[in-house]
Amino acid sequence: MRFFTNKITTIRDIIQQMLPIPAINESSTTVALESSVGPQLCLDCFSPIDLSEFTSVVGSSKSSTCLLDPIPTRLLKDTLPLMNSSSLDLVNLSLVSGYVPQAFKTTVIKPLLKKPSLDPGVLANYRPISNLPFISKILEKAVAKQLSDHLHRNELFEDFQSGFRAHHSTETALLKVTNDLLLASDNGLVSILVLLDLSAAFDTIDHNILLQRLEHVIGIRGTALKWFQSYLSDRFQFVHVHDEPSTRTKVSYGVPQGSVLGPILFTLYMLPLGYVIRKHSINYHCYADDTQLYLSIKPVNTNQLTRLQACLTVIKAWMTSNILLLNSEKTEVIIFGPKNLRNNFSQIIATLDGITLASSATLKNLGVIFDQDMSFNSHIKQISRTAFFHLCNISKIRNILSQNDAEKLVHAFVTSRLDYCN
């Protein structure tokens, strides 16, 4: 537990050392964003849910069980008619009072090796997988629905955020960016694509900033705001490995991992970033914490690169002031266009605000390999090699597999890759 906690503390310490940042006049953008939310857009309280909605939410939820659940989730679902009244009262009491029970705010963490080939003796090779009590997720789903209705009703979603939204995915993000880049190429323009990388973004979020954003930007007030204050405060987590729990550690920052509301809260936390980027007339698209910036210009207008440079400078400043760390080492840049023009641009922008130009002619963007010619040849070759590798492995054990099991393996390891963003 100490390793995961120290990792986040170290990142926040690095950010604190970067403060105060150079004064950049972006406050007017944030003020304009906050003032755009009038009293008619406020969400003052959450409404109680009825029995049919509660039953529907429970029935449609996965039957995974948390270590902290008093009974297995499947048994809870089977006996729901006997206890739905008391469970519903518990959820509604939380919604009406603006208080989240302490038992709902403890997370069990199970370390998972990032790749089977990595050394299990190195703690950095593990990814923390969080799990919360089942009823707490039901409560969060009730809040998430009413929050999403408020966001939709008042058009508060970021237009170019494809993460954690209905009818959006990595595919919609990639389609938008790819289409824009191809249209620019057809018009004889050279494009620069920058993929920004954040270090543990979900875990470093400042609760005070998040609550201020919910109140002043999203219009969450009254009991509803009180509920979020309770939801974020006094949270604890512990690691459970080989039936042995670690000591419980208080969580003072970040959105709750493994939760229903965590991803939504993160996108709302990042909402002002879109206004910052638009001010510099730079195209962008986001998927959760992955932000893509791209600029298409005529080959002779290399002076327009100063807009991209200025935008990156302001983004780094905004990230720092919002307790987020931009990882320049993992941030990549690639140029699209005719080879002779690409070489000219590469000489002009060896670095962009401390970000070194991608040394290779390809980079992976949300699981798809982009090349400088936008031919996707590298991506096709990679997928073909991977599919062939798994097909060979499946063929070695095909004689002991049933037809159904063989199909499952093929779908899991081959067609899932072929169909991704197809």
Side-chain angles (χ1 to χ4, degrees):
M1 188 69 252
R2 189 181 300 111
F3 171 79
F4 293 129
T5 304
N6 290 345
K7 175 184 176 182
I8 305 305
T9 302
T10 300
I11 292 175
R12 286 181 63 93
D13 287 344
I14 293 172
I15 297 172
Q16 292 296 332
Q17 292 172 9
M18 297 168 65
L19 293 170
I21 56 176
I24 296 179
N25 187 22
E26 287 298 328
S27 59
S28 59
T29 304
T30 305
V31 170
L33 174 59
E34 293 181 356
S35 63
S36 67
V37 181
Q40 71 276 12
L41 301 180
C42 294
L43 178 62
D44 293 311
C45 60
F46 294 121
S47 302
I49 61 175
D50 56 32
L51 183 58
S52 62
E53 183 179 352
F54 175 77
T55 305
S56 175
V57 172
V58 172
S60 61
S61 299
K62 292 182 179 179
S63 298
S64 56
T65 299
C66 174
L67 181 69
L68 302 174
D69 287 328
I71 61 174
T73 302
R74 191 170 295 278
L75 178 59
L76 172 65
K77 287 186 174 184
D78 292 340
T79 58
L80 189 61
L82 302 176
M83 59 178 69
N84 53 18
S85 179
S86 57
S87 300
L88 177 61
D89 289 343
L90 181 62
V91 170
N92 282 336
L93 184 59
S94 174
L95 295 175
V96 173
S97 65
Y99 173 78
V100 179
Q102 189 61 47
F104 289 2
K105 297 190 289 185
T106 299
T107 305
V108 182
I109 295 179
K110 291 188 176 182
L112 180 68
L113 204 60
K114 294 178 181 178
K115 293 181 181 179
S117 58
L118 296 177
D119 183 1
V122 180
L123 294 179
N125 292 336
Y126 288 89
R127 179 182 290 107
I129 304 300
S130 303
N131 202 357
L132 288 162
F134 180 75
I135 292 296
S136 72
K137 294 182 180 180
I138 301 303
L139 172 61
E140 289 191 44
K141 286 185 178 181
V143 171
K145 184 181 183 304
Q146 296 185 42
L147 176 60
S148 296
D149 289 344
H150 172 74
L151 297 173
H152 280 295
R153 191 162 50 244
N154 301 295
E155 299 179 349
L156 293 172
F157 277 113
E158 165 59 56
D159 291 336
F160 299 115
Q161 170 62 263
S162 290
F164 316 117
R165 291 178 63 187
H167 313 300
H168 290 71
S169 64
T170 53
E171 184 171 350
T172 57
L174 288 166
L175 282 174
K176 176 66 170 64
V177 174
T178 301
N179 185 65
D180 288 349
L181 293 175
L182 290 174
L183 287 175
S185 180
D186 290 342
N187 292 324
L189 305 179
V190 175
S191 299
I192 301 95
L193 173 66
V194 183
L195 304 185
L196 303 180
D197 183 84
L198 295 174
S199 298
F202 284 76
D203 297 314
T204 61
I205 281 179
D206 186 87
H207 289 172
N208 290 328
I209 296 176
L210 175 57
L211 289 170
Q212 290 173 11
R213 201 143 290 159
L214 289 174
E215 181 179 3
H216 299 295
V217 178
I218 307 304
I220 307 295
R221 311 282 167 83
T223 309
L225 182 62
K226 181 183 174 183
W227 189 94
F228 280 109
Q229 290 171 338
S230 176
Y231 174 76
L232 293 170
S233 64
D234 297 323
R235 299 194 72 95
F236 291 86
Q237 61 184 11
F238 67 93
V239 172
H240 190 264
V241 180
H242 302 310
D243 295 327
E244 291 292 332
S246 69
T247 55
R248 300 195 177 197
T249 304
K250 189 172 183 179
V251 182
S252 302
Y253 23 74
V255 292
Q257 297 282 24
S259 66
V260 175
L261 286 169
I264 302 174
L265 293 176
F266 179 81
T267 59
L268 297 181
Y269 190 87
M270 298 290 288
L271 199 58
L273 181 61
Y275 289 78
V276 171
I277 299 172
R278 277 194 288 270
K279 187 175 180 181
H280 292 84
S281 300
I282 300 294
N283 296 313
Y284 71 99
H285 207 98
C286 305
Y287 184 84
D289 59 337
D290 292 315
T291 302
Q292 306 180 47
L293 308 176
Y294 52 103
L295 175 66
S296 300
I297 57 177
K298 293 181 179 180
V300 294
N301 293 340
T302 54
N303 59 321
Q304 292 294 316
L305 292 172
T306 56
R307 281 196 288 128
L308 185 58
Q309 176 77 43
C311 185
L312 283 169
T313 301
V314 173
I315 287 174
K316 288 177 70 175
W318 184 89
M319 295 285 189
T320 304
S321 64
N322 284 272
I323 322 298
L324 296 168
L325 182 62
L326 185 63
N327 190 342
S328 296
E329 294 182 359
K330 291 186 178 180
T331 296
E332 298 178 282
V333 183
I334 190 170
I335 300 173
F336 303 100
K339 186 175 182 179
N340 59 325
L341 298 177
R342 293 200 307 257
N343 293 337
N344 292 337
F345 271 76
S346 297
Q347 296 173 3
I348 296 172
I349 51 169
T351 60
L352 281 173
D353 198 52
I355 302 170
T356 304
L357 190 65
S359 57
S360 66
T362 63
L363 56 75
K364 182 169 283 191
N365 184 7
L366 297 178
V368 174
I369 300 174
F370 278 43
D371 58 79
Q372 291 182 302
D373 295 316
M374 291 297 286
S375 66
F376 295 102
N377 286 335
S378 298
H379 180 72
I380 294 169
K381 290 178 181 178
Q382 175 63 37
I383 294 298
S384 298
R385 282 195 298 267
T386 303
F388 183 74
F389 171 79
H390 288 298
L391 284 173
C392 287
N393 286 338
I394 293 172
S395 68
K396 295 176 182 177
I397 59 173
R398 178 62 185 89
N399 61 334
I400 63 172
L401 296 173
S402 67
Q403 178 75 18
N404 186 43
D405 289 339
E407 289 178 358
K408 287 180 180 178
L409 288 176
V410 171
H411 287 315
F413 292 103
V414 180
T415 56
S416 61
R417 289 178 167 85
L418 297 177
D419 289 339
Y420 179 67
C421 291
N422 183 1

